[in-house]
């Protein structure tokens, strides 16, 4: 890519701009599907950025170039941007949770815009996640925290006006502590060790551990 040039790309069926400035990589999400008319819009924005770079008026915060109306960005696109932002800031295992969550966001919100997300919509999304039996409540809570963090980040970037996720809670049942063996159960376990020729040499050790309450780490 020539120095100072801004390319129009397609990312997840939406247009975005990509360029480098002072050794740093930048992306600007246009929020529009790839059509001839929308490419002209994207090209005009690209020309504006190229002119600012050439004249020394480039805004590295990108606030100057972002859409001024919140309606122009979809929930899925916003979360995709947030995931890209987190890519170099978290470990690979943690990042995988974000990418796995993208499908849920896309399926539920479809093409809905961020301005359509009220607290009640956010709660509906939480309930929808909880209805998925493959997701534990603790996982749902973790994902609602992701959405809250996404909106907080977007608010700082002036992509959204308010955060509907701030007061959305997920109840997680406390973990039940394991119940200890009864005396009868301990006696039966020790007897089983003593009566089995393959494990009888461990019987005294098992009985000792039961007697002093030691646990194997």
């Amino acid at each position: 890519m020539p120095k100072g040039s801004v390319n129009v790309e397609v990312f997840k069926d939406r247009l975005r701009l990509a360029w480098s400035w002072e050794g740093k990589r930048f992306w600007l999400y246009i929020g529009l599907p790839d059509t001839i008319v929308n490419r002209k819009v994207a090209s005009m924005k690209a020309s504006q950025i190229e002119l600012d770079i050439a004249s020394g008026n480039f805004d590295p915060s990108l606030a100057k170039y972002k859409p001024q109306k919140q309606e122009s960005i979809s929930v899925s696109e916003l979360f995709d941007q947030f995931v890209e932002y987190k890519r170099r800031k978290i470990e690979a295992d943690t990042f995988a949770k974000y990418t796995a969550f993208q499908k849920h966001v896309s399926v539920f919100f479809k093409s809905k815009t961020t301005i359509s997300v009220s607290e009640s919509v956010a709660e509906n999304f939480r309930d929808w996640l909880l209805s998925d039996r493959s997701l534990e409540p603790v996982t749902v809570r973790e994902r609602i925290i992701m959405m809250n963090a996404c909106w907080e980040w977007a608010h700082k970037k002036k992509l959204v006006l308010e955060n509907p996720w701030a007061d959305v809670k997920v109840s997680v049942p406390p973990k039940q502590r394991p119940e200890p063996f009864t005396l009868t159960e301990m006696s039966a376990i020790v007897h089983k060790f003593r009566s089995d020729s393959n494990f009888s040499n461990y019987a005294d050790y098992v009985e000792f551990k039961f007697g002093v309450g030691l646990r194997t780490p």
Side-chain angles (χ1 to χ4, degrees):
M1 181 188 299
K3 184 177 180 181
S5 64
V6 180
N7 282 356
V8 179
E9 300 179 345
V10 178
F11 180 77
K12 292 185 178 294
D13 300 321
R14 297 278 173 166
L15 294 174
R16 73 176 181 182
L17 305 181
W19 71 97
S20 296
W21 179 75
E22 293 190 350
K24 294 182 180 180
R25 188 73 171 157
F26 289 84
W27 289 273
L28 180 68
Y29 293 80
I30 304 300
L32 299 172
D34 185 15
T35 66
I36 295 176
V37 173
N38 290 341
R39 276 193 172 261
K40 290 181 179 179
V41 173
S43 295
M44 290 174 63
K45 183 70 68 175
S47 297
Q48 178 190 358
I49 295 172
E50 289 175 348
L51 180 60
D52 282 357
I53 291 175
S55 62
N57 295 311
F58 175 65
D59 176 11
S61 73
L62 305 186
K64 180 179 180 180
Y65 314 109
K66 290 176 181 177
Q68 297 302 307
K69 292 184 178 181
Q70 186 180 345
E71 294 92 336
S72 63
I73 185 169
S74 69
V75 176
S76 295
E77 183 185 354
L78 178 66
F79 192 73
D80 288 344
Q81 291 186 38
F82 180 63
V83 171
E84 287 298 313
Y85 162 76
K86 298 292 288 187
R87 181 182 294 275
R88 295 182 179 84
K89 296 183 178 293
I90 55 180
E91 297 295 328
D93 290 346
T94 303
F95 183 73
K97 296 180 180 179
Y98 285 78
T99 56
F101 187 35
Q102 284 177 299
K103 182 177 180 180
H104 286 93
V105 173
S106 177
V107 169
F108 182 86
F109 289 101
K110 298 181 173 65
S111 60
K112 289 182 179 179
T113 58
T114 53
I115 200 172
S116 69
V117 182
S118 61
E119 185 172 326
S120 62
V121 172
E123 290 173 344
N124 289 341
F125 181 57
R126 173 203 59 195
D127 296 342
W128 180 73
L129 291 174
L130 287 170
S131 69
D132 186 341
R133 295 184 178 181
S134 67
L135 298 177
E136 295 292 334
V138 66
T139 303
V140 174
R141 181 174 65 181
E142 183 180 74
R143 294 186 173 184
I144 293 300
I145 290 173
M146 287 183 191
M147 295 300 283
N148 182 48
C150 174
W151 251 253
E152 287 183 349
W153 169 80
H155 187 265
K156 291 179 181 178
K157 295 289 185 179
K158 299 181 179 179
L159 295 172
V160 298
L161 302 178
E162 57 185 13
N163 183 2
W165 304 92
D167 295 322
V168 179
K169 308 299 181 184
V170 179
S171 298
V172 178
K175 289 185 178 181
Q176 293 185 345
R177 298 181 62 182
E179 295 184 3
F181 291 116
T182 65
L183 292 175
T184 300
E185 290 171 334
M186 288 189 289
S187 177
I189 292 171
V190 172
H191 175 72
K192 181 64 176 177
F193 272 90
R194 292 196 186 282
S195 61
D196 191 317
S197 59
N198 293 321
F199 299 102
S200 59
N201 56 318
Y202 294 106
D204 290 340
Y205 173 69
V206 172
E207 188 173 21
F208 168 76
K209 294 200 71 173
F210 277 145
V212 297
L214 291 179
R215 292 183 180 181
T216 303

